[in-house]
Amino acid sequence: MGSVRVCLRTWLRLSLICVTALSSNLAVVAKMYRKPNIVLILTDDLDVAIGGMTPLNKTRKFIGDAGISFTNAFVASPLCCPSRASILTGKYPHNHHVINNTLEGNCSSLAWQKSQESATFPLLLQKLAYYQTFFAGKYLNEYGNPEAGGVEYVPPGWDYWFALEKNSKYYNYTLSVNGKPQRHGQNYSQDYLTDVLASVSLEFLSYKSNYRPFFMMVSTPAPHSPWTAAPQYEGRFSDIKAPRDPSFNVHGKDKHWLIRQAKTPMTNSSVEFLDDAFQKRWRTLLSVDDLVEKVVKNLEARGELENTYIMFTSDNGYHTGQFSLPVDKRQLYEFDIRVPLLVRGPNIKPNQTSPMLIANVDLGPTILDMAGININQTKMDGISFLPLMHAMLNMLVEYEGEGSNISDPACPLLGPGVSECFPDCVCEDSYNNTYACVRTVSTSTNLQYCEFDDSEVFVEVYNLTADPFQLTNIAKSIEQEVLEKMNHRLMMLQSCSGQSCRTAGVFDARYKFDPRLMFNDHGPHISRLHQALK
């Protein structure tokens, strides 16, 4: 009997050793083959061209210095909802058909829900790669509109949903918490939205499953208006003014009429307003910086940081006084279309900078690539930039102008069609501020070519190597061959879809230059994007 106990004890010991060894080997194999976690932090109206990243010291330290910073990252449209739709779908505006921030412009509309939300990258992560998905913050500007399902509607693809009703706020807002409304007031400790997003993100990291990879998207209101800072940061940057770069308070004499109408020099009240806005925007970013630090340190404490990609970017840029436009976005220039993009994660070496051209339509494909999903199985226009050698040389920027059919009573001399006007009758948008651009970046070429859908068929061309602030429109002096090539690339990109968007731009020598071919209609109110909605 004793010998049986010895044999049994020995067998159990050997079995335990074998099981331990097997478990150890399986753990190694699992670690080798486990899918990475992915975090996307999306800010709102954060520029990079006029110093938007300056106050974000922690973000640059924990993401940029620990990974790669892209210096040529752009948005497909310099406006919140079209840009966010491009991020979610990996498509250009002419393919996802979101043209502005209104329900009528297809922002979070029933048509959007039926045609596009069934193929967003979070849904593909969930379906094809078994990811847990979490969203917190601003989704699309009209999300929560009663005419499109209200806050009870939770888009497909999300396991955990904490979405802001409509546009950016910091206090006095409603969140959809998995389809149930949660109202917040103006108590800082309980309601300041950036901090609430940080808190629910950390909660998710605590209660999520440890046996499935996760995708977490945190979309902050900052630095979007109303620029409400957390109380501890209200006094910061009081001695800072908006950058007086070469395009500041300069008349855009050779630009589209909307830019030409801006008053130069700006009124004192406009300069004071934009300087104040600049300070307030930076103050709101300090809470974003805190959020980034909390998320990174939490992942590190949990032992998950080394297997997690973290991406930081914005939905569009911003301007404060460039070409005498006080504050807004919507324009074709670098300050409005260029955004920060920082990425850290597995196999990404620290302290890297890349000049590779990246469009925000590439974010979804890249995230799917990180998860091991074949991009060719999707209808996305973008391309993964995970393998850095697969760089695109050309990208498309599209914008649909907005304006009323009646004159602004405060600015009757401007006539009908303008919008976003300041008290001194400087307007940031108009119905015919509708344009399409091709942005080309390579070792030898740094060009932007744009055409407007208006009666002039106005063209703007910039050599960014010689003229980084886009002070001089060279459309009338550049070689005809270059114009033909750029126009041809633009036509191909505006008609591309899916795979063809990744190769668009090959020049055909038989092609004849005609800017008027770019748009199907040259009437004052009907653009190509409008027609796509019909």
Side-chain angles (χ1 to χ4, degrees), residues 158-183:
W158 300 103
D159 295 307
Y160 303 95
W161 181 252
F162 294 83
L164 176 68
E165 179 187 32
K166 296 193 175 180
N167 206 1
S168 288
K169 293 183 178 179
Y170 298 83
Y171 293 110
N172 300 310
Y173 56 86
T174 297
L175 288 179
S176 171
V177 180
N178 297 318
K180 295 181 179 180
Q182 183 185 90
R183 293 176 176 82

Side-chain angles (χ1 to χ4, degrees), residues 451-459 515-519 522:
E451 294 180 9
F452 283 83
D453 186 10
D454 61 10
S455 57
E456 294 181 280
V457 196
F458 198 79
V459 176
R516 293 182 181 274
L517 294 175
M518 266 306 307
F519 299 97
H522 295 287

Side-chain angles (χ1 to χ4, degrees), residues 73-254:
F74 296 91
V75 295
S77 185
L79 190 63
C80 298
C81 202
S83 178
R84 289 163 182 267
S86 286
I87 291 172
L88 290 165
T89 62
K91 295 179 181 179
Y92 285 118
H94 70 267
N95 285 328
H96 63 57
H97 307 314
V98 178
I99 61 174
N100 58 43
N101 291 340
T102 68
L103 205 63
E104 296 75 20
N106 208 27
C107 180
S108 204
S109 66
L110 292 176
W112 153 267
Q113 293 171 18
K114 292 177 182 178
S115 65
Q116 301 298 326
E117 278 188 333
S118 60
T120 60
F121 78 81
L123 181 61
L124 297 176
L125 285 175
Q126 189 187 63
K127 277 188 172 182
L128 302 180
Y130 201 50
Y131 270 69
Q132 305 167 84
T133 56
F134 168 90
F135 181 87
K138 176 178 172 179
Y139 181 60
L140 300 174
N141 296 56
E142 284 296 325
Y143 171 76
N145 190 311
E147 295 181 28
V151 295
E152 294 77 21
Y153 171 71
V154 177
W158 300 103
D159 295 307
Y160 303 95
W161 181 252
F162 294 83
L164 176 68
E165 179 187 32
K166 296 193 175 180
N167 206 1
S168 288
K169 293 183 178 179
Y170 298 83
Y171 293 110
N172 300 310
Y173 56 86
T174 297
L175 288 179
S176 171
V177 180
N178 297 318
K180 295 181 179 180
Q182 183 185 90
R183 293 176 176 82
H184 286 259
Q186 49 189 12
N187 183 317
Y188 167 69
S189 62
Q190 299 176 2
D191 303 313
Y192 189 70
L193 182 54
T194 307
D195 290 355
V196 169
L197 299 182
S199 178
V200 297
S201 298
L202 298 185
E203 287 180 17
F204 166 72
L205 293 176
S206 296
Y207 62 62
K208 66 175 177 59
S209 168
N210 291 325
Y211 300 100
R212 293 172 58 192
F214 69 83
F215 169 70
M216 183 167 77
M217 182 172 178
V218 186
S219 181
T220 72
H224 195 286
S225 61
W227 311 313
T228 308
Q232 68 269 30
Y233 297 132
E234 285 179 353
R236 297 288 297 275
F237 309 123
S238 296
D239 58 343
I240 298 294
K241 292 184 177 181
R244 269 52 171 174
D245 61 27
S247 64
F248 181 85
N249 209 3
V250 170
H251 188 252
K253 58 182 181 299
D254 56 2

Side-chain angles (χ1 to χ4, degrees), residues 9-10 16 43 107-108 130 144 152 195 341 407 416 419 447 465:
R9 190 181 298 119
T10 303
L16 181 60
T43 53
C107 180
S108 204
Y130 201 50
E152 294 77 21
D195 290 355
L341 177 60
S407 297
S419 65
L447 287 175
T465 302

